[in-house]
Amino acid sequence: MTILKGTDIDRFIAGPDPRRPIILVYGPDVGLVSERARAIAGKIAPDLDDPFSVTRLDGDILASDPARLADEAGTLSMFGGRRLIWVRAGEKPIAAAVAPLLASPPEGATILVEAGDLKKTAPLRTDAERSGAAAVIPCYADGEADLKRLVVEEARQAGLQVETAAVTLLTQIIGGDRAASRAEIRKICLYCHGQGTITVADIEAVAGESLTLGVDAIVDAALGGQPDELDRLLLRADGAGIAVAQIISATTRHALSLHKARLAVESGTPARTAVERFEPPVFFRRKLSVERQIGLWTAEKLHRIVVRLAEAGFETRARAAIAPTLAGRLLMSIATAARQGARG
């Protein structure tokens, strides 16, 4: 398969296949795109600062001179070995530069293209997905299972274990951007160095600000029908530098879980039981809030919200300059609808 998924991505990163010399790494999770691209680059060219084996190209410059990529790919390495041509795509389309190499793959070079989120119809993406000479690696925001693995992996590398409740709490704080998630986990690991196990108290001590300002409070204010509180939290989150993508991603995940819980309730399951079965598990401080949210919405309305959030996820990435405004309007409309439902 040209499009790699799951463990296939991990295997490819560990040992890039020379039969696929065109590698496209793209997606909305900028941190994960960067992390994976750099890992692949390091396998192809151990010294990324070596100008004889690594050529870096700016996508926007390449867009104005598409033939340059083929010229670079055809240039032999001065000291032998495979060359890496690392392209960071920008705002301008570069499919015209990549297409000839997909049709006639280079023998002595690997083309690594690092891109942002691409529509399904984007020529760069569709051309690469159809080519047997390419490996396409999509990078989406980590799901619950991915975040838990990330927490455990980082803790293990730091010589630490993590309490189950602490893993649950930490996965509610992080997410949306792989680089930001790793930074948060490593900060907690540093705090817990030498003590053996990371506890809930440790996370609250280190990430207390994130718990207060973080996305959970924003999510609960939106889906719980508290527009005034939501407005205050969004302002504080903006000042704290919490990414819009992280907020939208967390709201989408929660809305999906809420939809599943609401379907169970509409089939006869008590709301409290649905909260206990919630995925991911709800931290005890949020249980009453989530139970109340289940009662505010129907499954049909939650489905429509999930669709709107998915659309907003793309729109905020495509229009980054006004992303906070777009996200704020949507979340405020959700909060207002929930409040009206509570009054009704």
Side-chain angles (χ1 to χ4, degrees), residues 129-189:
E129 288 176 347
R130 293 169 183 160
S131 173
V136 179
I137 301 178
C139 300
Y140 296 103
D142 289 317
E144 180 200 356
D146 300 311
L147 291 173
K148 286 184 175 180
R149 281 195 296 270
L150 188 63
V151 170
V152 173
E153 172 194 325
E154 287 291 334
R156 179 182 56 78
Q157 290 180 5
L160 296 164
Q161 295 182 328
V162 192
E163 289 181 351
T164 301
V167 173
T168 299
L169 177 58
L170 190 50
T171 56
Q172 292 173 358
I173 298 171
I174 61 178
D177 183 274
R178 174 66 70 88
S181 296
R182 282 198 189 276
E184 189 69 29
I185 298 168
R186 287 171 180 174
K187 181 172 68 176
I188 293 169
C189 289

Side-chain angles (χ1 to χ4, degrees), residues 318-337:
R319 305 170 67 186
I322 59 171
T325 301
L326 295 172
R329 286 177 181 172
L330 174 57
L331 294 174
M332 195 61 68
S333 70
I334 292 172
T336 301

Side-chain angles (χ1 to χ4, degrees), residues 130-329:
R130 293 169 183 160
S131 173
V136 179
I137 301 178
C139 300
Y140 296 103
D142 289 317
E144 180 200 356
D146 300 311
L147 291 173
K148 286 184 175 180
R149 281 195 296 270
L150 188 63
V151 170
V152 173
E153 172 194 325
E154 287 291 334
R156 179 182 56 78
Q157 290 180 5
L160 296 164
Q161 295 182 328
V162 192
E163 289 181 351
T164 301
V167 173
T168 299
L169 177 58
L170 190 50
T171 56
Q172 292 173 358
I173 298 171
I174 61 178
D177 183 274
R178 174 66 70 88
S181 296
R182 282 198 189 276
E184 189 69 29
I185 298 168
R186 287 171 180 174
K187 181 172 68 176
I188 293 169
C189 289
L190 182 61
Y191 175 82
C192 297
H193 177 71
Q195 72 180 40
T197 302
I198 298 173
T199 67
V200 168
D202 294 322
I203 293 172
E204 291 179 333
V206 178
E209 186 76 357
S210 296
L211 288 168
T212 303
L213 296 175
V215 294
D216 280 347
I218 294 172
V219 169
D220 289 342
L223 287 158
Q226 299 173 288
D228 293 339
E229 176 69 1
L230 174 64
D231 186 51
R232 183 184 68 83
L233 289 170
L234 286 173
L235 286 173
R236 294 182 67 189
D238 183 57
I242 296 177
V244 170
Q246 182 177 353
I247 294 171
I248 293 297
S249 177
T251 307
T252 304
R253 289 200 304 269
H254 184 72
L256 283 166
S257 298
L258 206 61
H259 178 255
K260 182 177 180 180
R262 181 63 202 181
L263 284 172
V265 168
E266 291 178 6
S267 296
T269 301
R272 184 164 297 181
T273 302
V275 172
E276 294 299 327
R277 297 173 180 172
F278 211 78
E279 298 176 2
V282 179
F283 192 55
F284 72 92
R285 291 179 179 175
R286 297 181 65 208
K287 286 185 177 181
L288 288 177
S289 176
V290 172
E291 184 176 343
R292 178 175 173 275
Q293 292 166 35
I294 292 174
L296 291 176
W297 299 96
T298 64
E300 182 181 354
K301 288 181 178 178
L302 285 168
H303 174 73
R304 290 202 293 267
I305 285 175
V306 169
V307 172
R308 289 174 64 195
L309 285 165
E311 293 171 346
F314 174 77
E315 191 172 5
T316 52
R317 291 188 296 272
R319 305 170 67 186
I322 59 171
T325 301
L326 295 172
R329 286 177 181 172

